[in-house]
Amino acid sequence: MTDGKAGRRVHEEEPDVHFQSANGVQEGVNNTQVNGGSAASRAPLVKPSVGMEDLSGQLPPEIEHISEGFLPLANIVTRLVQDTFNGLTDCINDMSHLTVPQRDEDTTASAPQINVQKKQRMLIFAQERRAQFIKVLVLSQWSRQAEAVSKVIDLGRWLERRRKLYDGACNWLGELARIMELERMPNPDLKTALEVLSLGEVPGLPDLGYLPPQPLSPQKLLKALRGINTQLSLRLHLHETIPSAFRNYSVANGRVTFKVPNEFEVDLSIADDDPSTQLYFIDCRFTFSPTSAELPEGPLRGELEHRVNEVLSHDGLDGCYRFLHNYVLSHKINILRHQAYRLSQEKWSEHLKVEAVHRSLIVQYWVGRPGGKNWIELGIRRRKPIRSSWCHQEEDEAHIGIRWFRAGKETGDVPVNFNDKDLSIEAVLKKIISAHTDMIFNEITAKLRESQLYSKNILRLKRRQSVAEPAKSRLYVQLTASQSCTIMQETMTGRLALLPASSLNSRAERELNGLMSLEKEASSRIAQLRAITACDELENTVKCRGWEVLKSIRLSQESLKQQFGSDTLKASFFRKGSWNTQWLLAFTASLASDLWWIVELNDRTSKSNSTVTLGPSIRAAFRVPVNGAGAASKALSVLDLTKLECTAAGLISQFTDTRQLSIQNFPHRLVRHIPNTLDSELPALYVQFPDQRAQKFQKSPQPSTIPWKSQTVRISFMGVDASKSLATHLVVAQRGSAALRSQVMESVIGEFVKFHPKSGAFAFCLRSPVGQSTIPAVLDRLARVQRLIDYTTTLQAFKLKGQNLGLDHLEFTYAPESQNCRVKISFTSDMLPQFALNHGNPHLRIQDQLTTLFRRTNGLDQVIHFLQLSLPLMCAFVAIEAAHTNDTVTILPRSADWYQVRYQDPPGRFDLRLRRRREKLMWFVRHLGLEKGEEQDRRVRDQLDSIIRGRGESWAGVNPGIAATLNGIEALLKRIDDIFLQVRPAEPTPTSEKQDFKGQKRKADDSDVVVLE
């Protein structure tokens, strides 16, 4: 109770508890594990906050004070008083109902009893209220010591949390003991082993007397299969009720095969001669395509076999057919669904929408077309029940049916016969779309024939239909006496196309494709096609200057007013050949002024024979601030067009960059006070990219005239490269001078990156197509520069010097005393590093393992550390292979820290592993047993035993092997190899020699072959 408040509710989540085992693995209460390395390099379990670092050397933090859930004491007293008053009122009302009856002979006897009841009622009420007020009195006394009580509550809560942590630790230790019990290796049974080795048998083991079954001969197997065939035939003819769908069957090879056309074939067999027992599932094959002929081995086959056997045990062959029939129908729907999804992701991409609802498939076509939705629905339907002459039950045959919806309304007659043998959703769609196209052309033809020109055959109409190919359906419309157009509808998009291609037909085509209902409005748009005129003088002028005139883009008057202003009368669209197809340059004419605009389109563009076909919508339009180029009374000159192109390209580039930065939530700003070489004075773009390597508690940056000076990149538009028609951008970045070493600057200074040694700033130029964002290229270049700085810093930390440094490659020597220890790292376009070693490198045998280590850790320091610590071992391997020229020794690298050395003559095997012993990395060499059929030489065994029991300068024998330091492993392996060299047979002296890793001459084979595992 604190400050007159009573009661409290505490809801607090327990923190995660982690413990650390002896092997360097951190584990939590819920068996969570955190990988860790050595004790020196392992990170702490919980990263200390800034406040904890500031409190180092002071008193421990206070116990958490709980202040939530308190209630004022005044509220309790008020409620108790109110409740007492209400209870007293109820008590008085109850007592008033206990009245004394009228005076008679029983009045004297009943009056005392009623008075006693009233007194009892009043006493019970007073006793209950007294108990409640005593509780309030106790609470009020405790509230006088609120501070002490609050501390007791906090202490109790803290002790409860400690108890839970202790219980969690006990549970974790118990779970660890239980898990380690399974890992315990049992003691060897030496007694049984001695009996087997000495007597060849174990008398103590009981002999159960099992006799193995004799294998069946081919004659017996054939006889058994024939017997099963006979039993199956008798059972099917006499005892089984075969459904009508299973009338086509055959008995062979001990199984009966039921064949359902265009669905499946199922093999069943018996397990007993008793006809009352069930049939069992053997195999199932599908008889339609596309699908696998047989069921693959796996969970699916096992589940199907279990379900079919269960159905056979309850419902017999009829249930088996119904189950497999429904399964095949569902499988066909799934195949059609996968085909539809594949079409929507490949050539029908963005024009098809697929939705699966239970056992039905809904495919919406012409998704991009305006107006009502069009779709087909494939599902499982049931025919009307029929009564078979050989069966006493009605059969409700299920099949796959099609429903067709046009503009949201169902079409009753579906002109498609579904092929259930060769499943193809594309064929179904083409047939449906062909029927839909024919209906559209029928409506257009009917409405055009209502006019005088086409009803009196002054202008002709001709229509050609196709059932399976929508692209072959045509509607020929004669526009004038000398010109006509052909209307066709694209299969995938549903867009209408007018042929031959011209400016008039392109505008009409655009208007037609923007209609909500082609059946109702297309005829009026085709009639307006005859009244459209040619392009104006501006299009011819800019076309002579090398600009591309996009005649196919024709917007309606409403669209022109919406995009370019209400006073716009006409618009023409142009594009430079090197620009992104999503961006255009538009010229609008009106009574007020003529303006230039940059226009961004929603849909992608596609070029074919210099004809551009664009989507119907414009995403955005922005005005280009130019002087002179937009004057209506002035002809455009070459200089005006050049300035216009440069300014428009700069605006497009900056717009795409700012949009990309806004999507990625990068802080950016356009600043105009930086002078620019362009007359339009385009602003410079300042961007603050996130730096993951920055300190979390970084101090405030130094004052500067521009924002974010220490973490900001400036991107300036420098114009358009006339030779390549690419936008040129200058990127200037600021980094700390301490991070840029002289070695890095000398290696990277060139045409790509320029460094300033004093300030630490660097700059580079980027060229990109107009309309393409430069932000990914800037991030990529900055990442490459930072990567080179990090790797160079790592080399300097190991006191190594890079020999060939660049943004895409890195080469260095990790053993300065030898030139054979060179490493080359290359970075491909996908930033995946390629790790390569030079020929003759002692680590060449583990190049793949080093590559995996480098890619997994993404750090050069661990690879260099491992190369240096394993160099003596690799040198020892090279020396051993040089001493054994007849391939009498084999070195097998199991991993980067695990190897096996195998000798053939005399035989011997050794296992080498890198382990930590007494907080120190050491190589452990263990002599493995010989393989079956090999015999150990006595001299080799005696000398190896002496090494295992002995001790050297940098190695010592430990049971059951030898432990050697990192530098002492070479001497140890040389001593072991000398043992095998002394006892092996004499070898012929080779005539050729070559040098080993350290420059000493060694014997060589006919060819120097490097074998990599």
Side-chain angles (χ1 to χ4, degrees), residues 3 149 157 224 249 359 486 595 610 634 695 709 760 772 851 986:
D3 298 334
V149 172
R157 181 59 180 170
Y249 67 91
R359 298 176 70 186
T486 302
L595 302 175
S610 300
K634 180 181 178 182
Q695 297 292 333
K709 178 178 183 301
Q772 180 179 345
T851 302

Side-chain angles (χ1 to χ4, degrees), residues 965-989:
T965 61
L966 299 179
N967 295 326
I969 186 63
E970 186 174 4
L972 175 61
L973 292 181
K974 184 178 183 305
R975 181 168 180 180
I976 295 175
D977 186 67
D978 291 338
I979 295 174
F980 287 85
L981 290 175
Q982 293 173 4
V983 300
R984 72 174 183 178
E987 298 177 359
T989 304

Side-chain angles (χ1 to χ4, degrees), residues 323-566:
F323 173 78
L324 290 177
H325 178 64
N326 290 327
Y327 173 76
V328 169
L329 291 181
S330 300
H331 186 39
K332 287 183 177 181
I333 294 294
N334 287 333
I335 292 175
L336 294 174
R337 177 173 59 87
H338 287 298
Q339 292 179 354
Y341 278 123
R342 191 180 305 112
L343 287 178
S344 64
Q345 296 173 0
E346 295 177 355
K347 58 182 179 179
W348 290 67
S349 177
E350 300 181 0
H351 307 298
L352 210 64
K353 185 176 180 181
V354 182
E355 183 178 358
V357 180
H358 301 294
R359 298 176 70 186
S360 299
L361 175 64
I362 300 175
V363 181
Q364 179 187 353
Y365 60 93
W366 297 350
V367 175
R369 275 208 56 82
K373 297 181 180 180
N374 307 287
W375 73 89
I376 60 174
E377 181 178 348
L378 290 87
I380 299 177
R381 304 179 66 179
R382 297 187 180 275
R383 298 188 181 97
K384 295 181 180 180
I386 59 175
R387 183 177 295 275
S388 302
S389 60
W390 58 82
C391 186
H392 297 286
Q393 63 179 357
E394 294 182 348
E395 296 186 357
D396 191 5
E397 185 69 20
H399 67 285
I400 296 178
I402 301 177
R403 299 174 65 189
W404 182 21
F405 294 83
R406 292 191 304 118
K409 298 181 180 180
E410 185 176 3
T411 302
D413 186 14
V414 181
V416 174
N417 295 325
F418 183 73
N419 186 1
D420 57 352
K421 182 177 182 180
D422 298 324
L423 303 179
S424 176
I425 191 65
E426 186 175 8
V428 174
L429 281 173
K430 286 185 177 181
K431 292 178 181 180
I432 292 292
I433 292 174
S434 295
H436 197 166
T437 303
D438 292 339
M439 291 181 181
I440 292 175
F441 287 168
N442 285 335
E443 293 291 337
I444 294 175
T445 303
K447 289 185 177 296
L448 287 177
R449 288 191 183 278
E450 294 177 358
S451 64
Q452 186 176 3
L453 291 177
Y454 294 101
S455 61
K456 296 182 179 181
N457 291 329
I458 300 173
L459 298 176
R460 293 179 301 170
L461 289 174
K462 183 180 178 182
R463 187 167 56 88
R464 187 177 70 179
Q465 298 181 356
S466 177
V467 178
E469 288 294 335
K472 294 182 179 180
S473 297
R474 298 287 192 274
L475 176 61
Y476 299 96
V477 181
Q478 185 181 2
L479 300 177
T480 63
S482 59
Q483 294 185 8
S484 62
C485 69
T486 302
I487 304 176
M488 58 177 295
Q489 194 166 25
E490 296 180 4
T491 304
M492 301 178 187
T493 62
R495 294 170 53 89
L496 290 180
L498 273 66
L499 300 176
S502 63
S503 59
L504 303 179
N505 292 343
S506 298
R507 179 173 180 179
E509 177 183 325
R510 188 175 181 84
E511 292 179 355
L512 287 172
N513 291 323
L515 298 178
M516 299 296 294
S517 176
L518 292 176
E519 295 87 344
K520 298 179 181 180
E521 304 176 12
S523 57
S524 61
R525 294 300 188 275
I526 294 175
Q528 294 176 3
L529 177 61
R530 305 176 66 251
I532 301 176
T533 58
C535 299
D536 56 6
E537 181 182 3
L538 178 62
E539 296 179 355
N540 296 328
T541 302
V542 297
K543 187 176 181 180
C544 297
R545 301 295 185 184
W547 289 54
E548 182 183 3
V549 180
L550 303 178
K551 297 181 180 181
S552 61
I553 302 180
R554 298 295 181 183
L555 301 179
S556 62
Q557 193 67 23
E558 292 77 12
S559 299
L560 289 176
K561 293 181 180 180
Q562 181 181 0
Q563 297 293 338
F564 307 108
S566 59

Side-chain angles (χ1 to χ4, degrees), residues 1-2 8 65-66 70 146-155:
M1 190 67 59
T2 304
R8 64 194 309 166
H65 177 63
I66 300 175
F70 286 94
E147 184 177 358
V149 172
S150 178
K151 290 183 179 181
V152 171
I153 294 175
D154 297 339
L155 183 59

Side-chain angles (χ1 to χ4, degrees), residues 284 443 489 556 589 624 652 780-781 863 925 986 993 1002:
C284 183
E443 293 291 337
Q489 194 166 25
S556 62
V624 181
I652 292 173
D780 179 72
R781 186 66 61 85
V863 177
V925 182
E993 294 182 350
R1002 59 183 178 88

Side-chain angles (χ1 to χ4, degrees), residues 218-231:
Q219 294 78 10
K220 292 183 179 180
L221 182 60
L222 181 60
K223 182 179 179 181
L225 291 177
R226 288 176 178 175
I228 295 175
N229 293 340
T230 303
Q231 292 291 335

